[in-house]
Amino acid sequence: MLFNYSSIAIIILSQIIQTLTLLEDAKLFFTDLSSKYGHPAEKYDVTTEDGYILTLYRLPGKSKLPVLLMHGLFSTADSWILRGNTSLPITLANSGYDVWIGNCRGNTYSRKHIHISPNSRKFWNFTFHELAIYDLRAVIDKVLKETGAKKLNAIGHSLGNTIFYVLGSTVPEYNEKLNLLIALSPICYLHNVPSPVKNILDLAPFFKELRKQNYVDKVFGPGLIKQLLEKICANPVYGYIICVETLLFPLTGFNREELGPDFLPILISHFPSSSSLKNLLHLAQVYNRRKFAKYDYGFSKNFLLYNSTKPPLYDLGKVKMRIALISAKNDRLSTLKDVEILRGRLTNIVSDLVMPLDKFNHVDYIWGERTNLYLHPYILSELKMYS
């Protein structure tokens, strides 16, 4: 048998370069990553009506309609770009789109306020409701002002879709500012989530008491727990088994083919980021009450805030923006049964795709190694069709 030593050398060299790239990317953050992959980002500060200062990034392009990307729970703008050349922002920028990537309050890039310190309990007094009616509104207005466009296209992942439903139902005039929302893992209802997701949501009373008695207001903020998690996950022997196969996959769906051990060093340096415990509690209420509604403060405060003893439902019939739903069989956070409930409530669904890959899970939309091959072409097609 003859060995092609030059081919073997090329393969080994390619693997070494890939490993070095991943190790370097673990130390880089959004502006450095975007520059490395050919699209230096512009940075904007966006101040919300209630005083939070958010970081918004732009990869400039020539498209008539800008495209806004909004991240999910415990994520940042980084989550979109961690796959480098094959990430969605770079794919869109390479195709000529004017790409904007938002950051919601409380995460690594948006931990500022004009008056309140992030060390204050008051800073963390928010849920996805505030992310919608303050953060998303301010970001949309900033993008439209800077570009001069009348409308924009949007792509959300996970909770990054939920805030569009809340905004469209609560401030209906913003439906007119959205040309198309491409909803990746369109979380809204949580009726059918499996264990261990449901077990975590069942702990809502414990989380509420923890927040009340021990003044715990944020999750995954800078500190001991975050440092310990990074140390454990960085271990080359057991890090992947503990952090991905034991902790992440049971929540999101198992798919080692798309998120292997080599990607873990870059992932753990950027995820998870911080959010409020109250945000998690609000999601638990959606699960426990089986209603997509505003935050439940209890009998007395509900009456003061809502003029009702129960929090009002978000009226999804008012969400008039065009929406393309993209879901997956192996997504344990946005299950097909829950997407079916959402589908029955929305009034302007223009496209509805279930990913044809059986193992495709909740995080493959943004971190899948080959997502650029089987998801990005569909996204580009939808943007072209409706723009």
Side-chain angles (χ1 to χ4, degrees), residues 116-133:
I116 306 170
S117 165
N119 295 322
S120 166
R121 295 199 75 191
K122 190 175 180 181
F123 183 93
W124 300 95
N125 185 28
F126 62 83
T127 79
F128 60 78
H129 180 82
E130 286 73 26
L131 303 188
I133 66 168

Side-chain angles (χ1 to χ4, degrees), residues 127-144:
T127 79
F128 60 78
H129 180 82
E130 286 73 26
L131 303 188
I133 66 168
Y134 294 121
D135 295 10
L136 186 56
R137 281 176 71 184
V139 166
I140 290 173
D141 288 344
K142 182 67 172 179
V143 172
L144 296 181

Side-chain angles (χ1 to χ4, degrees), residues 320-375:
K320 302 297 184 182
M321 66 188 77
R322 288 186 289 201
I323 299 178
L325 297 177
I326 304 181
S327 52
K329 302 172 189 175
N330 190 33
D331 189 337
R332 299 172 68 85
L333 288 168
S334 180
T335 65
L336 292 185
K337 287 185 178 180
D338 286 333
V339 174
E340 185 178 351
I341 298 171
L342 173 63
R343 187 183 299 116
R345 304 286 196 275
L346 295 173
T347 61
N348 199 9
I349 296 174
V350 296
S351 172
D352 188 2
L353 172 71
V354 177
M355 293 299 295
L357 303 172
D358 288 340
K359 290 185 179 181
F360 196 92
N361 69 16
H362 186 75
V363 296
D364 287 342
Y365 295 97
I366 51 174
W367 298 333
E369 186 174 356
R370 294 168 294 177
T371 299
N372 63 307
L373 301 178
Y374 45 70
L375 176 63

